[in-house]
Amino acid sequence: MTLEQLRIFIAVAERENMTRAAEAVHITQSAVSGAIAALEAAHDVHLFHRVGRRIELTDAGRMFLGEARGIMARVESARAALSDWAGLRRGRLVIAASQTIAAYWLPERLARFRRRYPDIDLDLAIANTGGTARAVLAGEAELGFVEGALDDPALAQWPIGTDRMVLVGPPGVAGTDPVTNAWLAQTDWIMRERGSGTRSSFEAAMRDRGLDPDAFAVALTLPSNEAVLSAVRAGAGYAVLSRLVVAPALHSGSISAPACDLPARPFFAMRHKERYRGKAAEALLDVIASYEESVDWVI
């Protein structure tokens, strides 16, 4: 049984005339007759009485007409759903992002996307950089946003924004002279966990200065930016965090920023190379690409 057979059957049943049904579905009368005959033969049932030149539905035909109409209605509903999805009038987009991006960089961009596409459901999973990559690789998220490039041949990655790291410490300790390598090697550090983009960026910056971050004295290893920032406020040590994270605390004076020249770091988007990227994902990337920063913290 095919959808075309159902369409022809409904046309004949509604008109009780092969010729008019053929005109309605834009095929020949012989094709209509053949489709009805094939449907009846396949199920060993008569759907129409042939009375002279007229046709009438049998009891089986009347029962089947209701079923056939229901099926075709579902087909039309499915077709409309796909059209809505393609036109971004409905849908769902699952993304994953590392903590800094999810908490500080993405929200305004997601809000703009939501205003533009209110019928698309957005689900955001938050993990560190490694966890975000795993979610994309496993197909649990269509797009990922992380704080550094990853060496994985299955992932397509490209820069999507920039960030700057800031050295921060307890209030009142910032000086005008840049910190030295000797000071960096001797101070007590508060770190994010291994696998986080923040920690990876910090360690890369230290290696660029000729230092070995594995030899640093780590006072605390904490699982979130907020926990690190709280420990810095409490005087437990120094940390390097995103300017997006520390800007409000610096403006309030609850922490300070010793002079330290740290490189800008890119934010990256990622997707699985072999999985289809839907229109909602494309639309979100377009929104992000066209986004203009409305707040620029000066540090």
Side-chain angles (χ1 to χ4, degrees):
M1 184 186 302
T2 67
L3 293 177
E4 181 66 8
Q5 287 175 327
L6 294 182
R7 186 172 74 97
I8 292 170
F9 166 75
I10 293 170
V12 175
E14 290 177 344
R15 292 163 181 81
E16 294 188 336
N17 185 283
M18 293 284 187
T19 301
R20 290 199 296 272
E23 293 171 352
V25 296
H26 307 293
I27 60 176
T28 65
Q29 182 175 335
S30 61
V32 169
S33 299
I36 296 299
L39 194 57
E40 291 179 323
H43 299 279
D44 193 23
V45 64
H46 290 290
L47 299 172
F48 295 97
H49 295 296
R50 277 80 172 173
V51 183
R53 301 182 66 177
R54 295 188 305 108
I55 58 173
E56 299 174 354
L57 284 168
T58 63
D59 289 341
R62 280 190 289 272
M63 177 279 299
F64 186 58
L65 178 58
E67 296 292 334
R69 283 171 169 165
I71 291 170
M72 295 308 293
R74 290 293 302 275
V75 169
E76 288 304 314
S77 177
R79 184 180 291 115
L82 285 177
S83 295
D84 284 350
W85 196 286
L88 296 174
R89 292 182 294 274
R90 71 167 69 178
R92 178 171 177 260
L93 176 60
V94 181
I95 61 178
S98 54
Q99 288 189 17
T100 301
I101 292 175
Y104 298 94
W105 187 81
L106 263 180
E108 290 186 20
R109 292 155 177 82
L110 295 183
R112 178 170 291 190
F113 176 86
R114 182 67 178 175
R115 288 192 295 271
R116 191 172 297 179
Y117 304 105
D119 298 319
I120 303 296
D121 294 330
L122 273 172
D123 289 344
L124 170 62
I126 301 175
N128 62 23
T129 294
T132 298
R134 287 191 292 274
V136 175
L137 286 169
E140 297 166 359
E142 188 170 347
L143 291 174
F145 300 94
V146 295
E147 298 149 24
L150 294 168
D151 184 16
D152 194 311
L155 294 173
Q157 302 171 75
W158 62 98
I160 202 166
T162 57
D163 184 29
R164 184 166 291 279
M165 304 298 287
V166 181
L167 171 66
V168 293
V173 300
T176 57
D177 295 330
V179 299
T180 64
N181 278 12
W183 182 92
L184 291 168
Q186 294 170 3
T187 197
D188 290 330
W189 290 100
I190 305 165
M191 298 276 201
R192 283 286 308 276
E193 79 285 1
R194 293 195 182 277
S196 77
T198 294
R199 180 161 182 163
S200 297
S201 297
F202 167 71
E203 291 177 343
M206 294 301 100
R207 291 190 182 98
D208 287 344
R209 296 177 69 117
L211 297 170
D212 179 9
D214 291 333
F216 284 8
V218 180
L220 291 170
T221 300
L222 299 172
S224 72
N225 294 321
E226 290 72 23
V228 171
L229 189 57
S230 294
V232 170
R233 285 196 192 99
Y238 290 77
V240 169
L241 292 169
S242 164
R243 70 168 188 154
L244 299 170
V245 175
V246 303
L250 284 172
H251 279 269
S252 72
S254 62
I255 60 172
S256 62
C260 185
D261 184 23
L262 293 169
R265 63 172 179 174
F267 288 158
F268 286 86
M270 65 171 66
R271 66 175 180 85
H272 198 293
K273 289 180 179 178
E274 296 181 356
R275 289 194 171 91
Y276 172 72
R277 190 165 72 190
K279 291 196 173 183
E282 295 285 0
L284 175 59
L285 293 173
D286 287 344
V287 167
I288 291 174
S290 64
Y291 184 84
E292 294 181 2
E293 293 287 353
S294 58
V295 176
D296 184 17
W297 292 102
V298 178
I299 297 175

